[in-house]
Every structure is written in structure tokens, then in C-alpha cells.
């Protein structure tokens, strides 16, 4: 690993708090200067915005420009996506104006699977704490800006932990799920390389659903946040609420089922509904 810096000029669709605080990632934290530092598969990275410049500094494996372009999906034109979605209706336009700097990250598939299993019936501070403790327990140490950070552990490293080890890290009922899923991945009962090369979203979802602790919502989060499947629409309480308020109008929001929401989202937003979901989710939750 080596310390490197890269500067990106004039990217309009890139606001730090929009990206890191929209619920898609758990290993990024704000610094006193307003920058964010995160631990990713390749190492540790700090992102700072100065006027129209975005400055990336990190201790990383690989070339920082390539790492950043992949992780932040810089080859996707978000201005075009926002323009297309803004034409749909005023609600979509308003949500995009509010979260205009959102980008969907390309996170590591293995890490994303375990992170979103941990996220089930959990809150973000607690999710972050569990992931940090797991990483410190068996992840590789990286020094950056004279601080210690720990990469997310490999499947092989996690497979050496017992259910009790995982319980001691605070996973609660998720301990057995993480244990079983890790074993399934190690034994290739579910092949992550195969999943990454699959083209059909339904086939990918069916593979992910084999994993212990992965239900439809978690599967959709994994697909959106690590596999660039923009045609999925993860549904949690905030998404159900905003979709009902804006488009479905059922007097009892709790009676709106996910099939109905998926049908409406598909009709309205088509094959980029995953990106629409992020704007709507962030807009509703933050307001």
C-alpha cells in the first residue's frame, strides 16, 4: 500500500454528506474539517471538497485514480440520469434537487453482504460499531494519518470465528446468520465470482436469497450498492412511506404491500428505479 492523492475537477453530482449519509455505506465518518474518511476494500481513503474540486487522499492498494473511478462510479453520467428522472414529476424533481450530490457506490460484494445482514433491525451507529469491531478482530491493519484502521476481514478470516466470537462482538441474533453465510461462501455453495458475472437481476437475487439472513430487501440493497443493479428498488419503512404518500395514497400506510410498491416504481422509473429510490429515500428521511 502507498499514500496517494488524486484531484477531481468540476463533478456536479458529488456531495459528501449526500453520498455517505444516504444509508448505503457504514464505514465512512465525517472529520472535523468536513471531509470524510472511509475504509474500503483497497485501503483507507479521505475525501475532501474544496469549492469545485474533490480531493482524494489515501493509503491504498492500486492506483488511486482507478480505485476512485470504480468505487464512486465516476464513469456513470449522473447529470443525464437526474435529467431523465426529473422529467417524471415534481416529486421526483424536488427529491433530486434536495439530494443532487448522491452517487451510488460500487462496494465490495462480500463486505456488502455481511454489512447488510448486520443491518437487519438495527440502527446505523450500532451497525457501524459492529462492523468496526469485526474488522479490528480479524481484518488487516492499515496506518493512515497516524491512525490505525482495519480493512473488512476476508471470508477466510471470518470463517475462523465461532458463533460465540461473533456474539461477543455484539451481533445479537445475526451471529448465526453471519456464521452460516460465511461458511456457505467459503464452501462455494453460493459463488460470489459467479454472481458478479451474472446479468439477470432475478437470477442474482435468487442466488443471494440462498444466504442465511438475506431476505428480499437485503438482497436488493446488496444488488444496488455493490453490483450496480439500478433496476432494483429496496423497500424499507421510509421508502414505503414516501411511495404511499406521493403515489399510492392508501389511508393505512402499513397495508401497502411491497409487490404494489415494486409495480408502481417499475411503471414510473423503469430500469433506473434504484437511483430514484435513493433520491426519494434521502429526501424523505432527512425531512
Amino acid at each position: 500500500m502507498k499514500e496517494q492523492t488524486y484531484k477531481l475537477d468540476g463533478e456536479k453530482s458529488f456531495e459528501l454528506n449526500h453520498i455517505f449519509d444516504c444509508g448505503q455505506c457504514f464505514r465512512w465518518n465525517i472529520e472535523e474539517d468536513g471531509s470524510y474518511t472511509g475504509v474500503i476494500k483497497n485501503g483507507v481513503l479521505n475525501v475532501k471538497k474544496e469549492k469545485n474540486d474533490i480531493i482524494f487522499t489515501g493509503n491504498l492498494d492500486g492506483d488511486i485514480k482507478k480505485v476512485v473511478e470504480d468505487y464512486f462510479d465516476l464513469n456513470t453520467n449522473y447529470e443525464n440520469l437526474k435529467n431523465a428522472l426529473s422529467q417524471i414529476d415534481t416529486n421526483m424533481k424536488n427529491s433530486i434537487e434536495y439530494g443532487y450530490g448522491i452517487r451510488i457506490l460500487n462496494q465490495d460484494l462480500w463486505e456488502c453482504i455481511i454489512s447488510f445482514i448486520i443491518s437487519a433491525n438495527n440502527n446505523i451507529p450500532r451497525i457501524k460499531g459492529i462492523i468496526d469491531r469485526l474488522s479490528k478482530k480479524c481484518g488487516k491493519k492499515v496506518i493512515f494519518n497516524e491512525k490505525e484502521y482495519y480493512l473488512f476481514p476476508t471470508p477466510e478470516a471470518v470463517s475462523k470465528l465461532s458463533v460465540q466470537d461473533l456474539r461477543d462482538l455484539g451481533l445479537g441474533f445475526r451471529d448465526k446468520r453471519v456464521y452460516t453465510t460465511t461458511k456457505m461462501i467459503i464452501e462455494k455453495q453460493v459463488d460470489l465470482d459467479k454472481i458478479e458475472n451474472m446479468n439477470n437481476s432475478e437470477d442474482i437475487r435468487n442466488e443471494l436469497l440462498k444466504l442465511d439472513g438475506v431476505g428480499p430487501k437485503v438482497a436488493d440493497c446488496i444488488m444496488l450498492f455493490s453490483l450496480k443493479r439500478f433496476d432494483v428498488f429496496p423497500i424499507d419503512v421510509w421508502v414505503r412511506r414516501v411511495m404511499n404518500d406521493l403515489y399510492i395514497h392508501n389511508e393505512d400506510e402499513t397495508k401497502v404491500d411491497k409487490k404494489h410498491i415494486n409495480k408502481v416504481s417499475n411503471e414510473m422509473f423503469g430500469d433506473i428505479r434504484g437511483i430514484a429510490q435513493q433520491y426519494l429515500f434521502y429526501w424523505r428521511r432527512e425531512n
Side-chain angles (χ1 to χ4, degrees):
M1 288 193 176
K2 61 180 179 179
E3 295 220 4
Q4 306 170 64
T5 298
Y6 171 63
K7 184 170 74 171
L8 180 66
D9 302 326
E11 176 56 63
K12 294 178 182 178
S13 300
F14 202 115
E15 287 297 326
L16 305 187
N17 61 318
H18 295 180
I19 294 169
F20 300 127
D21 295 335
C22 69
Q24 65 174 319
C25 55
F26 304 111
R27 302 215 67 195
W28 287 88
N29 294 296
I30 193 167
E31 305 286 0
E32 290 183 2
D33 64 357
S35 69
Y36 281 73
T37 301
V39 184
I40 63 176
K41 179 180 180 180
N42 310 76
V44 182
L45 187 66
N46 175 267
V47 187
K48 179 188 293 186
K49 191 159 188 184
E50 294 181 351
K51 295 183 179 178
N52 292 325
D53 294 335
I54 303 152
I55 301 165
F56 304 89
T57 307
N59 188 3
L60 302 167
D61 273 332
D63 176 68
I64 189 170
K65 182 175 184 289
K66 291 181 180 178
V67 169
V68 163
E69 285 179 348
D70 176 66
Y71 185 78
F72 290 97
D73 197 20
L74 295 181
N75 293 319
T76 293
N77 189 322
Y78 271 74
E79 292 302 302
N80 287 348
L81 292 171
K82 289 190 292 186
N83 287 338
L85 288 169
S86 293
Q87 305 302 314
I88 292 169
D89 67 2
T90 302
N91 295 320
M92 199 68 241
K93 185 172 183 290
N94 289 340
S95 73
I96 289 170
E97 287 175 354
Y98 185 83
Y100 62 90
I102 288 174
R103 302 188 76 84
I104 295 178
L105 303 172
N106 284 328
Q107 299 178 73
D108 177 65
L109 177 57
W110 153 249
E111 179 176 349
C112 202
I113 288 169
I114 299 301
S115 296
F116 277 93
I117 290 174
I118 290 169
S119 77
N121 299 315
N122 218 341
N123 60 62
I124 288 179
R126 192 160 181 272
I127 298 163
K128 284 186 168 188
I130 293 169
I131 293 171
D132 284 345
R133 289 191 293 274
L134 177 62
S135 299
K136 192 171 185 179
K137 177 82 173 174
C138 52
K140 179 183 175 183
K141 181 167 72 174
V142 177
I143 304 296
F144 177 65
N145 285 343
E146 300 180 348
K147 293 182 182 178
E148 291 183 359
Y149 297 87
Y150 293 85
L151 302 186
F152 194 82
T154 63
E156 291 75 18
V158 176
S159 72
K160 294 175 182 177
L161 302 180
S162 66
V163 173
Q164 186 61 53
D165 291 332
L166 293 166
R167 186 167 300 164
D168 291 343
L169 295 172
L171 272 78
F173 69 88
R174 307 161 197 86
D175 51 14
K176 292 180 181 178
R177 294 176 177 177
V178 169
Y179 179 86
T180 303
T181 280
T182 301
K183 294 294 184 187
M184 292 176 74
I185 289 170
I186 285 285
E187 294 168 2
K188 298 288 187 181
Q189 294 178 46
V190 173
D191 189 329
L192 300 190
D193 292 332
K194 176 184 171 184
I195 287 174
E196 288 185 321
N197 289 305
M198 293 169 72
N199 295 316
N200 182 275
S201 293
E202 198 58 39
D203 292 341
I204 295 170
R205 182 184 288 106
N206 289 335
E207 282 298 301
L208 291 171
L209 288 172
K210 295 176 183 177
L211 296 169
D212 196 8
V214 175
K217 183 244 178 179
V218 167
D220 284 350
C221 286
I222 294 164
M223 291 167 68
L224 182 58
F225 302 139
S226 73
L227 295 170
K228 289 183 68 175
R229 304 307 306 186
F230 293 162
D231 59 339
V232 301
F233 197 82
I235 300 166
D236 69 354
V237 62
W238 294 105
V239 173
R240 185 178 66 189
R241 192 170 295 162
V242 71
M243 287 297 289
N244 185 58
D245 287 352
L246 299 182
Y247 303 118
I248 297 172
H249 310 302
N250 192 314
E251 289 184 5
D252 186 350
E253 169 211 312
T254 62
K255 291 183 178 178
V256 179
D257 64 54
K258 292 183 178 181
K259 285 185 179 179
H260 191 179
I261 294 171
N262 270 317
K263 182 175 183 291
V264 172
S265 70
N266 188 31
E267 290 171 351
M268 295 198 67
F269 313 124
D271 59 5
I272 53 172
R273 57 187 178 273
I275 297 174
Q277 185 264 15
Q278 280 293 277
Y279 292 121
L280 291 168
F281 170 85
Y282 185 69
W283 179 44
R284 180 56 192 257
R285 192 190 66 175
E286 295 301 304
N287 281 284

